[in-house]
Amino acid sequence: MIALILIFVGINKIRSASVRKGYVFIAIGLIMLLGGNLSLLLAIVLISLGYFYIRSKQLHGDESYMKKQSLIESIRWGREPWILRSSSIWNIVGELQIDLTYAIPEQKETTIVLQGVIADVDIIVPEDMGVSVTSTVWFGQSDIGPNKEAGVLNKTVWQSPNYELAEHQVKIIISYIVGDIDIKVV
């Protein structure tokens, strides 16, 4: 019961301004909840990390990708103009809010790879930008374009109607064990 209360407090902290404290509460609650299954949790994290390295080498052999790895991450891109580069991000627990309406693309086609264990991903894509999404979430939900899926083993492949003709194209590859994925075209 205490573990569930800590997770609930953590979620409320994340929704308020204390994001890092929220993730700490959630992590402590999850560790308490999985107490007897800590070895299973560690195995999932290690497998996920290995999968990240294998997949990242397959997706991009060159060094032009921005690579970021962390245990707990809160990313907010888009409150002001920012440069959109091909990126590969891996984290155990993450909250990613990316607003591509403020992005300044460096290339015609940009690839963003998001991977990890647990995440809340919110991406806003402007209507004039072409987007192609491949999302895999083992447990959770995904709301991508017109597609909504929830439950276990969700795989969504979607491409905006203007992808081929768009001046700038963004390819998003998402892979999480537990996730809440929201991608909106505005």
Side-chain angles (χ1 to χ4, degrees):
M1 190 68 172
I2 293 173
L4 293 176
I5 291 171
L6 285 172
I7 292 171
F8 180 73
V9 168
I11 291 170
N12 285 336
K13 290 266 187 203
I14 289 172
R15 290 184 178 166
S16 67
S18 304
V19 176
R20 291 224 185 250
K21 286 182 182 179
Y23 284 128
V24 170
F25 279 115
I26 289 174
I28 292 170
L30 287 174
I31 289 171
M32 288 176 64
L33 193 63
L34 297 173
N37 300 321
L38 193 55
S39 60
L40 175 65
L41 178 65
L42 183 60
I44 288 172
V45 169
L46 291 176
I47 289 170
S48 175
L49 182 60
Y51 178 73
F52 165 73
Y53 282 117
I54 291 169
R55 180 130 174 152
S56 65
K57 286 189 180 204
Q58 290 173 347
L59 290 172
H60 43 78
D62 61 353
E63 295 298 319
S64 65
Y65 273 71
M66 180 185 77
K67 298 174 188 172
K68 188 169 190 175
Q69 303 155 17
S70 63
L71 297 176
I72 298 174
E73 186 69 47
S74 179
I75 294 177
R76 287 183 171 83
W77 293 341
R79 293 182 180 167
E80 56 190 41
W82 56 283
I83 297 177
L84 177 62
R85 294 184 176 109
S86 292
S87 306
S88 182
I89 299 170
W90 182 90
N91 48 44
I92 293 178
V93 178
E95 177 186 30
L96 301 118
Q97 295 178 350
I98 301 172
D99 189 346
L100 295 173
T101 56
Y102 292 99
I104 302 167
E106 280 189 331
Q107 305 166 349
K108 177 176 173 43
E109 182 175 281
T110 305
T111 302
I112 299 174
V113 180
L114 307 172
Q115 299 176 354
V117 180
I118 301 170
D120 178 17
V121 178
D122 297 311
I123 300 175
I124 298 172
V125 181
E127 196 172 76
D128 62 334
M129 187 178 282
V131 63
S132 171
V133 180
T134 303
S135 171
T136 304
V137 178
W138 291 10
F139 305 98
Q141 63 182 13
S142 61
D143 184 359
I144 301 171
N147 304 323
K148 291 184 181 185
E149 299 209 19
V152 180
L153 298 175
N154 299 319
K155 175 148 184 157
T156 304
V157 177
W158 181 75
Q159 182 172 309
S160 64
N162 67 337
Y163 182 76
E164 297 297 328
L165 302 173
E167 183 180 344
H168 297 288
Q169 301 169 340
V170 178
K171 186 182 292 184
I172 302 171
I173 301 169
I174 300 171
S175 180
Y176 282 99
I177 295 172
V178 178
D180 179 14
I181 313 298
D182 293 313
I183 300 179
K184 295 181 176 99
V185 178
V186 294

